[in-house]
């Protein structure tokens, strides 16, 4: 398998996972509020990152924590707006709008 084939397979897998999350979130929103869904997702992500790379995460400096916190806040706000929007539209429309923002 060439490097190009591996890279294309990784892009295909990433696209599949990214696209399927919209449908999974839409299903999840039937049972919980948007903020609770985001809280659960972020909590799972924190646990995974701490388990996999806690030695690389710590130690960090105070300026790094401030900059990371600011970027994390913007990311969180983006997730909140997107997830609240998903409550009033279809998963495919939400994915389309999000993909247009990426381009």
């Amino acid at each position: 398998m060439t490097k190009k084939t591996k890279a294309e397979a990784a892009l295909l897998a990433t696209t599949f996972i990214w696209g399927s999350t919209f449908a999974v979130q839409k299903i999840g929103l039937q049972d919980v509020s948007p903020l609770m869904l985001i809280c659960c997702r972020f909590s799972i992500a924190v646990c995974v990152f701490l388990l996999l790379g806690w030695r690389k995460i710590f130690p960090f400096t105070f300026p790094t924590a401030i900059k990371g916190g600011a970027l994390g806040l913007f990311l969180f706000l983006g997730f909140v707006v997107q997830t609240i929007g998903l409550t009033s539209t279809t998963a495919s429309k939400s994915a389309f709008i999000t993909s247009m923002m990426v381009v």
Side-chain angles (χ1 to χ4, degrees):
M1 186 180 269
T2 66
K3 277 187 162 184
K4 182 179 177 183
T5 306
K6 287 181 183 179
E8 289 173 348
L11 282 173
L12 181 65
T14 302
T15 303
F16 178 75
I17 292 168
W18 176 81
S20 64
T21 59
F22 289 94
V24 171
Q25 284 184 25
K26 185 73 173 176
I27 293 168
L29 286 172
Q30 294 173 355
D31 297 324
V32 297
S33 70
L35 290 177
M36 180 59 77
L37 182 66
I38 292 170
C39 179
C40 292
R41 289 183 68 195
F42 274 49
S43 297
I44 292 169
V46 165
C47 291
V48 169
F49 277 109
L50 286 176
L51 286 173
L52 295 178
W54 68 274
R55 287 186 180 150
K56 292 183 180 181
I57 295 172
F58 298 104
F60 56 86
T61 63
F62 183 72
T64 303
I66 296 296
K67 292 174 185 175
L71 291 174
L73 178 65
F74 287 124
L75 179 66
F76 175 75
L77 292 174
F79 271 100
V80 168
V81 170
Q82 180 181 7
T83 307
I84 290 173
L86 190 57
T87 61
S88 61
T89 189
T90 63
S92 59
K93 286 180 186 176
S94 179
F96 178 76
I97 292 168
T98 302
S99 67
M100 289 294 103
M101 295 303 293
V102 170
V103 173

